[in-house]
Amino acid sequence: MTPQYPHLCAPLTLGNATFRNRMFSAPMGGTDITNDGCIGPKSIAFYELRAKGGAGVVTVSECMAHPETDGSHAYHLDERVLNSLACAAYTADAIRRHGAIPSLELSHSGMFDGTYMTDEKRKHSMNQWGPSAGVRPDGVQIQELSTAQIAEIAAAYGHVAGLAKRAGFEMLMIHGGHGWLINQFLSPMFNHRQDAYGGSLENRCRFAIEVLQAVRKAVGPKFPIEFRMSGAEFVKEGYDLAEGVRIAQQLEPYVDMLHVSAGTYQKTFGVTHPSMFTEHGCNVHLAAEIKKHVKVPVATIGALNAPQQMEEILANGQADVIYMARALLADPELPNKVMANRAEDIVHCLRCFTCMAERAATSTRRCTVNPLIGREMEGSEIQPAPVRKKVLVVGGGPGGLYAAYTAARRGHAVTLCEKESELGGVLKSEQAIPFKQEMYQLAGTYAKFCRDAGVNICLNTTVTRSYVDAMAPDAVIVAVGARPIKPPIPGLDSENVVIVNDYYKEKDEIGDEVVVLGGGLAGCECAICLGMQGKRVHLVEMQENLAPDANVRHRPLLLQQIDRYVDVHAGCRVVRVDRTGAFCADSAGNEIFVPGKSIIAALGQRCCTDTVVELQNCAPFVRVIGDAAKVSTITNAVYWGYHAALDI
């Protein structure tokens, strides 16, 4: 077979390891780390899924190198702890037995130890160590590491590296980016020392080099070592790309590969983890520039999930390896699909940050488009149903589509009915918003999965109780979604008013000055889209805060775009609208006129309860999912749909 993407599929050799392709799985944290720092079975299954999916490397995230000065990352390797090496060995084996190379990321958070702790008293009582003394933005005191401590930490990296090799890891990634300890030494933003570890670039690189030397001594000459660095920090106090190149040149003699990321986690989250508002591959230029000045292979990372783009990056010599994180949550099988010339079956990451927000909220994992993430031990293989049944899915939105696909994979005879002429449900409205194209494309991908699995799809078909009675299915999954709320506001039925769900149908009729009513997630994203088009956009919201329904990772980046593109009128209640704009009242009762000949109403959604009630008890098995059950998220719709199909 001739590969469609030959550069992505080409093997690579570093030291004594040969990798089956150039698609590598970036470090992502496990979820069930034990109190004594061991990797739990859920995390092992989490990493194994990406190995099964065909990645060339699967990197286990952020193993603490020196717990005595770094307590924020719970995972560490310690031969004194019962099961520590065994758990690491099980993890490495779970990756290696599927043909991927197991790699371990060694890290130290330095002055940002415990940054995200919710226990403020404990956080302020911990010893925080960094290259220089000072005070963190959250008020925590930082103590300067002594030269003796620096030597101890460098030696600890070597010790843990030796344990990792002993446990079966065949590659190591030394984390020197994103504002963690090694980066703190490299960066003039954090490093204000006056001794041999501060000041000049050579001095600021000294700690990184000593760490790499200790690791090399522990693992031997042919063991692959890569160094993860920020090509630039994107803050004025930090270093730029020109200095990033010089840092790479300083470190090159000690590594087998340079892994070029971007930013500093504490100040440029949206740079390190590009959001849907940025271009795919926005950080590739950093790796491309560094590659011009070094001889070792260079890896790139940052919102890359389209095989055509990734192939061009490699073919053009901008990088030698593509790292992916969120893309391999959305579709762990992405590398296998590329290798098998099945790129059209890839489920693309939405860059919605559900995965990272869930980590912050519950210390677990979720993915909007992949219901298996975080629940890998519950079975990554769909099991055939013991009895083949007739299944009716009502509604062709994301939840209904995924439910139908899953039920068909289990061997059931599945019919999906959609009352409109196009599948997708709420996803159809995203086609007019450029930064949400992956969300619109998701409907097409799920629909293809349904057709390939043999689902009988009936469009323009409204399901009633009599329709179900005539079909007599064994199981019905009700996924009819929600409908827009239209409060009794005078003028809301005017021709110049567009419901946000229908914006994609009428986008060409929207004028140059627009009023968006409703500051939830849908209203905010529509307002940003209009602002990006150069229109004057006013956003009116009754509450003081915008987008409370956005997750904690997406919301700050969304609000940055709101500040850039939208005039906000918060704390304002809409009284009436006409062809000239919206008449509002502020909290004091004062009337405010907000001009705009086009008005978009994004005033919320309500479950289609009437259809749900009509279809209750219409079959031996009835399950209501998604917005039909509770107005919520695509994440829940897909997750509930998946499990409804597993329960039949």
Side-chain angles (χ1 to χ4, degrees), residues 218-257:
V219 298
K222 292 292 186 179
F223 192 94
I225 299 172
E226 70 173 310
F227 187 85
R228 189 181 213 189
M229 64 177 289
S230 294
E233 292 184 292
F234 293 98
V235 289
K236 64 180 181 179
E237 307 93 338
Y239 63 80
D240 59 11
L241 177 55
E243 186 153 295
V245 168
R246 293 191 289 273
I247 291 171
Q249 291 172 321
Q250 290 280 318
L251 303 181
E252 178 185 9
Y254 308 97
V255 301
D256 297 283
M257 184 166 72

Side-chain angles (χ1 to χ4, degrees), residues 139-209:
V140 173
Q141 294 284 334
I142 306 157
Q143 300 180 67
E144 181 173 296
L145 289 165
S146 68
T147 54
Q149 286 175 308
I150 291 171
E152 183 180 319
I153 293 171
Y157 270 92
H159 179 68
V160 175
L163 294 177
K165 181 179 180 181
R166 177 175 155 192
F169 286 95
E170 299 177 36
M171 181 172 172
L172 288 172
M173 176 190 289
I174 309 305
H175 195 348
H178 302 170
W180 301 132
L181 182 62
I182 294 177
N183 176 252
Q184 290 162 27
F185 272 89
L186 295 173
S187 173
M189 176 167 53
F190 302 117
N191 188 343
H192 308 293
R193 299 176 74 99
Q194 302 297 317
D195 62 4
Y197 292 94
S200 69
L201 177 67
E202 290 75 14
N203 282 355
R204 284 185 278 120
C205 290
R206 190 179 306 278
F207 175 58
I209 291 171

Side-chain angles (χ1 to χ4, degrees), residues 64-71 78 80 108 113 127 129 152 156:
M64 285 189 302
H66 193 249
E68 292 79 5
T69 53
D70 182 13
D78 189 339
R80 297 166 299 180
H108 192 303
D113 179 13
N127 289 326
W129 300 97
E152 183 180 319

Side-chain angles (χ1 to χ4, degrees), residues 445-456:
T445 303
Y446 282 175
K448 181 181 186 299
F449 289 174
C450 285
R451 294 187 180 98
D452 291 348
V455 175
N456 176 34

Side-chain angles (χ1 to χ4, degrees), residues 537-580:
V537 185
H538 303 272
L539 181 63
V540 178
E541 166 55 41
M542 281 183 60
Q543 306 300 321
E544 293 297 332
N545 296 319
L546 300 180
D549 49 340
N551 69 56
V552 296
R553 295 301 191 194
H554 181 59
R555 186 171 182 268
L557 303 174
L558 176 106
L559 295 180
Q560 288 177 11
Q561 300 299 315
I562 289 287
D563 290 342
R564 182 176 179 184
Y565 291 110
V566 181
D567 294 325
V568 176
H569 307 268
C572 291
R573 177 176 57 85
V574 181
V575 177
R576 61 186 174 90
V577 300
D578 65 15
R579 291 183 175 276
T580 63

Side-chain angles (χ1 to χ4, degrees), residues 41-317:
K42 289 182 180 293
S43 296
I44 294 173
F46 172 77
Y47 293 118
E48 184 173 13
L49 190 61
R50 259 145 300 289
K52 289 180 180 179
V57 163
V58 176
T59 312
V60 175
S61 181
E62 292 190 303
C63 174
M64 285 189 302
H66 193 249
E68 292 79 5
T69 53
D70 182 13
S72 65
H73 299 80
Y75 173 54
H76 62 276
L77 270 174
D78 189 339
E79 69 268 48
R80 297 166 299 180
V81 175
L82 185 66
N83 291 330
S84 178
L85 280 174
C87 291
Y90 283 131
T91 307
D93 178 68
I95 294 166
R96 192 64 178 91
R97 66 191 177 208
H98 300 290
I101 297 295
S103 179
L104 181 64
E105 181 185 47
L106 303 186
S107 183
H108 192 303
S109 54
M111 62 184 281
F112 292 107
D113 179 13
T115 305
Y116 304 108
M117 283 182 176
T118 55
D119 186 339
E120 290 294 319
K121 184 177 180 181
R122 183 184 170 206
K123 180 167 71 173
H124 283 262
S125 68
M126 293 173 64
N127 289 326
Q128 312 291 332
W129 300 97
S132 303
V135 180
R136 272 187 352 202
D138 59 1
V140 173
Q141 294 284 334
I142 306 157
Q143 300 180 67
E144 181 173 296
L145 289 165
S146 68
T147 54
Q149 286 175 308
I150 291 171
E152 183 180 319
I153 293 171
Y157 270 92
H159 179 68
V160 175
L163 294 177
K165 181 179 180 181
R166 177 175 155 192
F169 286 95
E170 299 177 36
M171 181 172 172
L172 288 172
M173 176 190 289
I174 309 305
H175 195 348
H178 302 170
W180 301 132
L181 182 62
I182 294 177
N183 176 252
Q184 290 162 27
F185 272 89
L186 295 173
S187 173
M189 176 167 53
F190 302 117
N191 188 343
H192 308 293
R193 299 176 74 99
Q194 302 297 317
D195 62 4
Y197 292 94
S200 69
L201 177 67
E202 290 75 14
N203 282 355
R204 284 185 278 120
C205 290
R206 190 179 306 278
F207 175 58
I209 291 171
E210 289 178 353
V211 166
L212 292 169
Q213 289 173 326
V215 170
R216 176 59 72 199
K217 182 178 180 180
V219 298
K222 292 292 186 179
F223 192 94
I225 299 172
E226 70 173 310
F227 187 85
R228 189 181 213 189
M229 64 177 289
S230 294
E233 292 184 292
F234 293 98
V235 289
K236 64 180 181 179
E237 307 93 338
Y239 63 80
D240 59 11
L241 177 55
E243 186 153 295
V245 168
R246 293 191 289 273
I247 291 171
Q249 291 172 321
Q250 290 280 318
L251 303 181
E252 178 185 9
Y254 308 97
V255 301
D256 297 283
M257 184 166 72
L258 287 163
H259 171 145
V260 181
S261 185
T264 174
Y265 196 78
Q266 297 76 22
K267 292 193 174 185
T268 60
F269 177 86
V271 173
T272 304
H273 309 90
S275 74
M276 64 176 62
F277 304 114
T278 60
E279 294 293 327
H280 288 281
C282 57
N283 292 330
V284 172
H285 71 284
L286 303 173
E289 183 60 28
I290 286 174
K291 184 168 168 54
K292 295 175 185 176
H293 302 277
V294 299
K295 293 183 174 61
V296 296
V298 173
T300 190
I301 190 171
L304 296 168
N305 64 9
Q308 182 62 48
Q309 182 185 22
M310 294 189 291
E311 176 74 9
E312 289 173 1
I313 290 166
L314 300 182
N316 294 338

Side-chain angles (χ1 to χ4, degrees), residues 333-355:
E333 288 284 324
L334 186 155
N336 279 342
K337 291 174 181 179
V338 170
M339 298 280 281
N341 291 346
R342 292 174 46 229
E344 68 277 5
D345 288 339
I346 291 171
V347 179
H348 292 285
C349 170
L350 308 181
R351 297 190 291 174
C352 62
F353 289 118
T354 293
C355 52

Side-chain angles (χ1 to χ4, degrees), residues 444-475:
T445 303
Y446 282 175
K448 181 181 186 299
F449 289 174
C450 285
R451 294 187 180 98
D452 291 348
V455 175
N456 176 34
I457 297 175
C458 302
L459 300 176
N460 301 305
T461 303
T462 299
V463 174
T464 61
R465 184 62 177 254
S466 60
Y467 184 98
V468 178
D469 291 343
M471 177 181 281
D474 300 298

